[in-house]
Amino acid sequence: MQLDDLTTKNGEWLRGVGPESDIVISSRVRLARNLADFPFISRTTAQDRARIEKTLHERVEEVASENDLLYLEMSQLEKVDRQFLVERHLISREHAEGQDARAVAIDAREKFSLMINEEDHLRIQAMQSGLDLNAVWQQVNKLDDLVEEKLTYAFDERLGYLTACPTNVGTGMRVSVMLHLPALVITRQIDKVFRSLQKISLAVRGLYGEGSQAMGDFYQISNQVTLGLSESDLIRRVRDIVPVIIDYERQARDFLVKESHENLHDRVSRAYGILRTAQTISSEETMHLLSSVRMGVNLGLIRDLNIPTINELFIRTQPAHLQKITGGEMETTDRNIERARYLRRYLNKEDGAGPTAEHN
Amino acid sequence: MKCQQCDKQATFHITELTQGKPQEFHLCEDHARQYLASSSTEPEGAAGMAAALAQQIAIGQTAAELAQLDQQACPVCGITFFEFRSQGRLGCPHDYVCFQKQLEPLIVNIHGESRHVGKRPHADAGGSQDRTQLIRLRRELKEAIDDEHYERAGELRDEIQRIEGRRS
């Protein structure tokens, strides 16, 4: 398999299937691990990093020999390709920008990826569409066991798995669920929800993790602490809160439908209209409008689109994806024109008007 | 020295390394608290949070105590406490042992707990500490070769191979 094979596919976490997938986009678990006999990344030499990469590369290939695995060294990739992997959540932004000897192993179905030489020597993550944290935990746990069979992790009896940053020590585990919460944003209740989550030590982040804006009303809820609770307790903590938030979001949608149906319908229809007719459009505006359209589909206000299609547009209209799909690097201005053209073609074909409709 | 914000004695001497060149602040205890609280309101990511919390370790220490603490270095990887404090990232697994006294309150502050209760490797954890010694031994080996102390280098190489051989 090659990197370009991914451009034609939607990826696991955007399939738009699984429990509660109208609101829960995806479930994800990642583990941070370090080899016991090397310094953490900040104190490594280039030689250390090369040795870590070699050791883990070999191990990862052995472990995932049954899977179709794509192994990529960051230094061999074009900037647009690294950005493409970030947009698909297969690597972190930090990993895309980092120094030498960084690599990633990606499962062809995009159900898991292993980052080598990120903040820690190894980051194992698994993801799945919809709400199913147990399934992703089992996947990650299995990979972790297999990797550990022939390597010694940095581990302390009292503190657990040792990590470069003390915020990850213990289980080294981050459990996260990505939610689409447009109605809570419209009704201005989102901050209240976040404040209550912070009180129970859960973190809220935007679509692309730390420091990223909550684009398209996507929010990731994850555990803040990693020490003093077992893996299953950490999963339970996040899983238990999700139905509560889903319920708030559904109530907010009900409220919008009942109290201001015309406004809501207008908002959704205009968003759809702009996406189908715009001649130039930024990534941010696209995300913003797609968010309304997505909610419109969920509420039955738009009937000629389905959720997997919208999910696909969310990812395919992002800068690196757009450039990969339309073939070639572009400046922002050209990209905005190309994005609008792509949306028109895609959405007008979907409702039966055909790709030629854009010339009328 | 006087505090830069008032007439009290400056007991805190903070060097900020975030904006290109180092910036120095000399503050009394009250203003130091204020300064550290305000600069830690928007930590950038997890490392930012760890750094912000690590800065708080400075509170309640005299300048002399802090200077001494900052110079403490890990015998395995060589990172100083000051470097950890400014980056929020540790240098090697042994830092958790050699900076234990300073890290313990920091870890409790972050996690509310100080004991791991989850999963553990199948292998004996004692082996993990042994292997961490390899970091030091490899560093010493490199130094011995650089200094042309070949006899010492030979001993170190044997020691390294002995530990490496235990688990491939």
Side-chain angles (χ1 to χ4, degrees):
Chain A
M1 190 180 83
Q2 294 191 323
L3 177 74
D4 286 351
D5 295 342
L6 297 178
T7 56
T8 57
K9 295 195 290 182
N10 220 358
E12 167 59 32
W13 64 278
L14 279 166
R15 272 172 47 222
V17 297
E20 317 285 1
S21 57
D22 57 333
I23 293 172
V24 184
I25 304 289
S26 63
S27 305
R28 190 150 61 124
V29 170
R30 75 107 167 102
L31 295 177
R33 297 290 187 254
N34 288 278
L35 300 177
D37 54 343
F38 286 96
F40 294 142
I41 299 295
S42 69
R43 299 294 292 185
T44 50
T45 61
Q47 196 192 358
D48 287 332
R49 287 192 294 277
R51 286 182 65 181
I52 296 166
E53 191 271 327
K54 186 170 176 290
T55 308
L56 288 172
H57 182 186
E58 284 170 9
R59 191 65 204 127
V60 165
E61 294 281 0
E62 280 170 26
V63 161
S65 57
E66 291 164 26
N67 299 77
D68 188 4
L69 207 64
L70 176 64
Y71 190 85
L72 302 166
E73 286 173 41
M74 289 301 118
S75 58
Q76 307 291 309
L77 295 182
E78 300 285 335
K79 191 163 173 259
V80 65
D81 288 335
R82 296 197 302 262
Q83 184 57 34
F84 173 81
L85 295 173
V86 173
E87 288 173 4
R88 289 181 93 81
H89 283 184
L90 293 167
I91 63 171
S92 61
R93 287 190 299 174
E94 184 179 333
H95 205 53
E97 289 156 11
Q99 48 204 348
D100 55 328
R102 290 190 175 211
V104 64
I106 300 164
D107 160 51
R109 292 169 307 159
E110 298 180 62
K111 280 180 178 286
F112 63 83
S113 72
L114 300 100
M115 279 184 276
I116 296 171
N117 288 338
E118 204 239 24
E119 182 182 305
D120 295 291
H121 298 159
L122 183 64
R123 290 268 173 113
I124 309 172
Q125 68 159 1
M127 46 205 172
Q128 192 149 318
S129 177
L131 181 62
D132 196 349
L133 287 167
N134 278 337
V136 284
W137 162 238
Q138 276 165 25
Q139 172 75 76
V140 162
N141 193 25
K142 192 179 110 191
L143 287 166
D144 182 48
D145 283 345
L146 289 169
V147 171
E148 196 256 334
E149 265 176 23
K150 288 189 184 172
L151 294 172
T152 308
Y153 284 146
F155 182 84
D156 178 79
E157 281 299 334
R158 209 168 49 86
L159 288 172
Y161 294 92
L162 303 176
T163 51
C165 187
T167 49
N168 291 318
V169 77
T171 54
M173 179 159 96
R174 187 81 63 219
V175 183
S176 63
V177 170
M178 180 138 54
L179 304 171
H180 185 227
L181 305 173
L184 286 174
V185 175
I186 295 170
T187 57
R188 295 164 199 261
Q189 296 177 83
I190 199 89
D191 287 336
K192 203 172 70 190
V193 174
F194 292 167
R195 278 197 299 275
S196 51
L197 288 176
Q198 274 153 8
K199 275 185 201 145
I200 53 169
S201 340
L202 293 175
V204 182
R205 298 187 174 85
L207 180 58
Y208 287 102
E210 278 164 9
S212 74
Q213 290 274 320
M215 289 190 295
D217 306 319
F218 289 116
Y219 294 91
Q220 293 185 65
I221 316 277
S222 59
N223 59 307
Q224 188 82 265
V225 309
T226 55
L227 180 71
L229 287 168
S230 70
E231 287 79 1
S232 44
D233 284 339
L234 287 171
I235 287 170
R236 200 168 301 126
R237 265 204 179 189
V238 175
R239 198 183 47 209
D240 285 354
I241 202 69
V242 171
V244 180
I245 302 172
I246 291 175
D247 202 39
Y248 284 150
E249 170 67 18
R250 294 230 166 96
Q251 279 176 30
R253 290 181 186 190
D254 284 350
F255 173 83
L256 290 173
V257 169
K258 282 200 196 97
E259 301 298 317
S260 54
H261 190 265
E262 286 74 22
N263 284 340
L264 178 70
H265 202 162
D266 182 64
R267 182 190 190 103
V268 168
S269 305
R270 279 170 186 268
Y272 197 20
I274 292 171
L275 289 170
R276 282 194 295 184
T277 54
Q279 300 297 310
T280 168
I281 192 163
S282 70
S283 174
E284 289 74 23
E285 189 182 0
T286 306
M287 297 279 272
H288 179 67
L289 297 172
L290 280 172
S291 176
S292 292
V293 169
R294 193 178 191 278
M295 180 170 62
V297 172
N298 281 333
L299 293 175
L301 299 172
I302 294 176
R303 297 181 184 278
D304 56 3
L305 273 177
N306 57 35
I307 292 299
T309 305
I310 310 225
N311 285 0
E312 199 171 326
L313 284 174
F314 267 113
I315 189 102
R316 297 185 136 230
T317 54
Q318 293 200 31
H321 271 75
L322 194 70
Q323 292 175 75
K324 294 286 289 177
I325 292 163
T326 56
E329 289 198 32
M330 283 178 280
E331 295 298 318
T332 313
T333 319
D334 292 336
R335 237 171 23 221
N336 291 346
I337 293 169
E338 191 56 50
R339 181 177 294 112
R341 186 179 296 146
Y342 184 79
L343 285 163
R344 287 199 307 275
R345 208 180 311 145
Y346 204 102
L347 291 171
N348 291 320
K349 190 167 60 183
E350 287 289 322
D351 70 4
T356 49
E358 69 188 48
H359 299 298
N360 295 336
Chain B
M1 188 185 290
K2 268 191 194 169
C3 169
Q4 290 169 329
Q5 308 273 335
C6 66
D7 282 340
K8 282 191 217 154
Q9 180 74 21
T11 46
F12 287 84
H13 307 278
I14 299 165
T15 309
E16 200 67 76
L17 294 170
T18 44
Q19 283 134 348
K21 59 175 189 184
Q23 255 187 309
E24 290 200 4
F25 298 94
H26 307 281
L27 303 165
C28 69
E29 183 161 352
D30 288 343
H31 281 108
R33 266 181 211 282
Q34 225 171 51
Y35 172 77
L36 293 174
S38 69
S39 62
S40 65
T41 46
E42 282 185 74
E44 277 207 22
M49 178 172 126
L53 286 165
Q55 289 293 349
Q56 290 178 16
I57 294 172
I59 296 172
Q61 313 244 12
T62 66
E65 279 168 355
L66 188 61
Q68 202 186 7
L69 176 60
D70 274 347
Q71 280 171 24
Q72 266 184 44
C74 168
V76 170
C77 72
I79 195 174
T80 62
F81 191 72
F82 176 75
E83 285 171 296
F84 162 64
R85 214 157 57 82
S86 21
Q87 299 162 4
R89 306 241 166 115
L90 294 161
C92 80
H94 189 71
D95 295 354
Y96 283 99
V97 178
C98 74
F99 298 133
Q100 194 202 341
K101 208 175 131 224
Q102 290 76 36
L103 284 176
E104 176 98 18
L106 175 75
I107 285 169
V108 171
N109 208 333
I110 297 169
H111 300 283
E113 294 285 343
S114 61
R115 250 176 198 288
H116 175 58
V117 294
K119 183 179 180 179
R120 45 179 304 122
H122 300 289
D124 163 32
S128 179
Q129 269 105 60
D130 271 5
R131 290 193 76 85
T132 294
Q133 289 308 313
L134 284 172
I135 301 170
R136 178 179 58 82
L137 292 168
R138 288 197 199 112
R139 197 169 62 129
E140 285 176 13
L141 173 64
K142 187 175 173 299
E143 282 164 11
I145 293 170
D146 288 348
D147 297 343
E148 301 184 6
H149 292 158
Y150 296 117
E151 199 177 327
R152 174 80 184 130
E155 287 166 17
L156 287 164
R157 187 167 303 138
D158 292 347
E159 175 78 7
I160 288 168
Q161 279 169 359
R162 194 175 57 76
I163 298 175
E164 282 184 338
R166 273 186 218 152
R167 197 156 182 258
S168 60

